[in-house]
């Protein structure tokens, strides 16, 4: 198993556990992503899995919708992406993405794999689960994100810059410099680390 496939599987396992841990009456609760419910967070992750297979001329396998069964929808979508990563030839295929040319496995790693870490926090916060991110992931994502040129960060905060309806990061939330790194990372990507569901 490649390091990328291994990292994807770890992130998918963690996200799946949060989906499975969501109480049936919690799916319509608001999330830290403005305008999104807990169900919408899972919908976004499933949709991003569809984006991973699309450059290969593929679609996600038939499965229950996120409205019908969020857990089954996610399990099916991750299975499709894992099949790509488990095929060495497919994983090494060069595709064109909004961020430029890259291999299928790098596309998965740079987009949906880390997306599950960040949106896992959203889902956990919305549904009162443990929202602690893996420290290695926090360190790695912080290092990569904080090193981005300011103009690229501005572009990532611009709705639609990477496609219709796509918002990569929200406006930065100011967090004290001595706050834990997870809180600073969340602030950088546009989350209030102290957000709680409205009562």
């Amino acid at each position: 198993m490649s390091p990328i496939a291994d990292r994807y599987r770890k992130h998918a396992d963690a996200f799946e556990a949060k989906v499975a841990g969501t109480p049936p009456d919690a799916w319509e609760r608001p999330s830290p992503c403005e305008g999104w419910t807990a169900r919408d967070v899972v919908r976004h992750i499933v949709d991003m899995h569809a984006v991973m297979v699309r450059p290969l001329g593929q679609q996600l396998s038939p499965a229950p919708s996120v409205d019908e069964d969020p857990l089954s929808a996610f399990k099916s979508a991750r299975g499709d992406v894992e099949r790509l990563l488990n095929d060495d030839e497919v994983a090494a295929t060069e595709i064109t993405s909004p961020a430029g040319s890259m291999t299928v496995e790098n596309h998965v790693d740079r987009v949906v794999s880390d997306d599950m870490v960040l949106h896992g926090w959203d889902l956990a916060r919305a549904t009162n689960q443990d929202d602690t991110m893996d420290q290695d992931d926090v360190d790695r994502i912080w290092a990569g994100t904080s090193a981005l040129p300011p103009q690229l960060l501005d572009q990532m905060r611009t709705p639609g810059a990477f496609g219709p309806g796509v918002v990569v990061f929200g406006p930065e939330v100011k967090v004290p410099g001595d706050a834990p790194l997870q809180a600073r990372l969340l602030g950088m990507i546009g989350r209030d680390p102290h957000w709680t569901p409205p009562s």
Side-chain angles (χ1 to χ4, degrees), residues 6-7 16 24 28 32 43 65 71 83 88 96 104 120 123 128-129 141 143 148 153 159 167-168 170 177 195:
D6 186 48
R7 182 160 50 238
E16 184 175 313
E28 305 314 316
R43 191 188 320 279
S65 71
L71 182 58
R83 279 189 284 278
D88 291 342
T96 300
V104 166
L123 183 58
N128 297 317
Q129 299 185 64
I141 297 172
L148 293 173
L153 272 174
V167 179
V168 181
W195 185 93

Side-chain angles (χ1 to χ4, degrees), residues 100-169:
S101 178
M102 66 184 73
T103 63
V104 166
E105 67 172 1
N106 281 328
H107 193 212
V108 170
D109 198 40
R110 291 176 60 178
V111 180
V112 77
S113 189
D114 283 348
D115 221 22
M116 289 188 289
V117 176
L118 302 173
H119 284 300
W121 182 86
D122 295 322
L123 183 58
R125 270 297 164 111
T127 58
N128 297 317
Q129 299 185 64
D130 183 3
D131 62 11
T132 306
M133 299 180 191
D134 182 275
Q135 191 60 47
D136 288 343
D137 287 328
V138 172
D139 292 343
R140 181 179 50 79
I141 297 172
W142 170 265
T145 305
S146 61
L148 293 173
Q151 61 270 27
L152 180 56
L153 272 174
D154 288 343
Q155 186 181 12
M156 296 174 84
R157 299 187 199 284
T158 303
F162 290 90
V166 176
V167 179
V168 181
F169 294 158

Side-chain angles (χ1 to χ4, degrees), residues 57-73:
Q58 300 180 21
Q59 296 179 334
L60 295 180
S61 299
S65 71
V66 174
D67 289 319
E68 297 168 318
D69 186 342
L71 182 58
S72 293

Side-chain angles (χ1 to χ4, degrees), residues 24-99:
D25 63 353
W27 285 113
E28 305 314 316
R29 291 179 188 171
S31 81
C33 297
E34 186 176 354
W36 285 10
T37 62
R39 188 185 305 275
D40 292 329
V41 172
V42 180
R43 191 188 320 279
H44 168 76
I45 291 295
V46 171
D47 287 347
M48 291 309 296
H49 278 70
V51 171
M52 297 300 98
V53 304
R54 196 172 296 146
L56 296 168
Q58 300 180 21
Q59 296 179 334
L60 295 180
S61 299
S65 71
V66 174
D67 289 319
E68 297 168 318
D69 186 342
L71 182 58
S72 293
F74 175 72
K75 283 183 173 181
S76 180
R78 75 170 287 187
D80 288 336
V81 168
E82 285 177 329
R83 279 189 284 278
L84 301 183
L85 296 176
N86 291 338
D87 185 319
D88 291 342
E89 184 175 347
V90 172
T93 300
E94 288 281 334
I95 57 98
T96 300
S97 79

